[in-house]
Amino acid sequence: MTIDNAFVRGLVLYTAITSGLCAGIFYAFSSFVMRALGRLPADQGIAAMNSINKEAPTFWFMFVLMGTALTGVVLGVYGVFHLGRAGAVWLIVGAVAYLVAVVMTIVFHVPRNDQLLGMDPDSVAAADYWRSYLSEWTWGNHLRVLGPLVAAVAFTVAWRQSR
């Protein structure tokens, strides 16, 4: 039995695409943005990262980040209630994987960003924190990339199996 609802199939495709988009955004930070910021003098790197963190919660970024979380949850619940259908388990896997990244953002990255924002970029304390921030934030981000990447694959497989 397949997912025969055209709306649900469209939602699965949308969520696969936006999960991939979020994975790409996170991947960019892991692959070059943080390294580039780390090459700047500490005060400049801190100022640049603070600027990024102030700009990040725009409507469109939050629409994709949190909107995908919402559609993922809807699809995960759909998967739970339609376990006999092709792709249902993949919907659940996608929803859980994506939510792990959102939770990590909220409990790991945002507090570090807020702490950095509250520091004077020209202070010795900020320069010391910046070194640990770069390392911890980037390693956490490497892990965070996996959530939406796995979700994109899982939702794509669900969409493909539901045909």
Side-chain angles (χ1 to χ4, degrees):
M1 183 178 275
T2 64
I3 299 171
D4 53 6
N5 182 311
F7 176 77
V8 173
R9 283 185 41 77
L11 197 60
V12 172
L13 183 58
Y14 166 83
T15 307
I17 292 167
T18 55
S19 293
L21 179 60
C22 284
I25 291 166
F26 295 155
Y27 179 75
F29 274 84
S30 280
S31 62
F32 62 87
V33 172
M34 295 308 287
R35 278 195 327 229
L37 294 177
R39 289 186 177 155
L40 296 172
D43 62 327
Q44 292 177 20
I46 292 167
M49 189 65 183
N50 282 340
S51 182
I52 290 168
N53 288 330
K54 287 178 188 175
E55 288 299 316
T58 62
F59 172 80
W60 289 112
F61 176 69
M62 295 308 289
F63 179 79
V64 171
L65 180 69
M66 300 311 276
T68 302
L70 177 62
T71 59
V73 167
V74 167
L75 292 171
V77 169
Y78 182 90
V80 167
F81 285 103
H82 296 88
L83 276 174
R85 295 184 180 195
V89 170
W90 289 106
L91 294 177
I92 298 165
V93 168
V96 169
Y98 192 86
L99 287 178
V100 166
V102 171
V103 168
M104 188 161 193
T105 299
I106 294 167
V107 302
F108 184 82
H109 288 90
V110 170
R112 283 166 174 73
N113 295 344
D114 289 346
Q115 184 174 347
L116 187 67
L117 186 59
M119 300 181 100
D120 174 5
D122 296 319
S123 71
V124 173
D128 289 341
Y129 180 69
W130 178 241
R131 283 188 290 280
S132 65
Y133 174 95
L134 282 169
S135 176
E136 292 171 9
W137 196 100
T138 302
W139 275 106
N141 197 64
H142 292 338
L143 297 175
R144 183 169 63 160
V145 168
L146 296 175
L149 183 61
V150 168
V153 170
F155 289 126
T156 300
V157 171
W159 181 81
R160 181 71 178 128
Q161 286 185 354
S162 70
R163 297 183 79 192

